[in-house]
Amino acid sequence: MAALAVLAAPLTACGSDALQRCVPVAAKSATPGELIGSYKGSYKAEAVRLTLSSGGAMKAEKWPTGDYHRSELGDTFNGSGTWEIAPATSSTDRALLRLHFTKPTLFLKGDTLDKLTIGTDATRTTVYDDADPDVCPDFRLQRQQP
């Protein structure tokens, strides 16, 4: 039975309390000070980098086209723009990092990932695409320590 639990853990919502979660629990709120910094991607976001600066500026490297409506993310681009925190609402129940790309200008709203769930715990801050809360997110970025 214990072996089955270990095998099933990656298929559940990022593990259980007994195992470290693949991402922190979604936050209901966050402050800009908690998010400012450089983020490095992992898993399907392996080469992705995101920098959130004070004043709301952001820079993304190797950011994917496509969004949750597509099963696979598309080509990547380097871009910049602004960011903001959208607090939890009754429909989202979690705070979201909203990215507004101004460069390159070829993307229409919805042509790229522009809303990420914010997760924090005692040791890490992670932003991720929470397309299916029953499995660990494929697209996740963790804030790097200064």
Side-chain angles (χ1 to χ4, degrees):
M1 190 66 149
L4 182 59
V6 170
L7 290 174
L11 301 175
T12 64
C14 300
S16 67
D17 292 337
L19 302 170
Q20 182 179 356
R21 296 175 53 88
C22 66
V23 294
V25 174
K28 297 218 183 267
S29 66
T31 65
E34 293 172 304
L35 297 182
I36 292 171
S38 297
Y39 291 75
K40 180 179 177 183
S42 61
Y43 195 55
K44 290 197 176 178
E46 185 72 37
V48 177
R49 301 291 182 267
L50 177 66
T51 303
L52 303 178
S53 301
S54 61
M58 69 90 170
K59 183 174 113 178
E61 298 173 25
K62 298 194 177 185
W63 199 262
T65 58
D67 59 20
Y68 67 92
H69 296 290
R70 300 178 185 166
S71 61
E72 291 295 322
L73 296 174
D75 293 333
T76 63
F77 66 95
N78 294 336
S80 60
T82 61
W83 65 278
E84 66 179 332
I85 300 168
T89 64
S90 58
S91 63
T92 63
D93 198 31
R94 64 187 183 268
L96 297 173
L97 171 63
R98 296 194 58 159
L99 304 175
H100 305 281
F101 287 94
T102 55
K103 292 184 181 178
T105 57
L106 59 109
F107 294 103
L108 299 174
K109 186 176 179 178
D111 286 342
T112 188
L113 292 171
D114 59 2
K115 291 181 211 142
L116 299 171
T117 296
I118 301 166
T120 59
D121 62 21
T123 60
R124 59 197 169 144
T125 299
T126 305
V127 293
Y128 52 94
D129 179 27
D130 197 13
D132 184 350
D134 292 330
V135 297
C136 287
D138 290 344
F139 188 87
R140 54 188 184 252
L141 299 104
Q142 186 168 326
R143 189 173 70 176
Q144 302 300 291
Q145 298 302 322

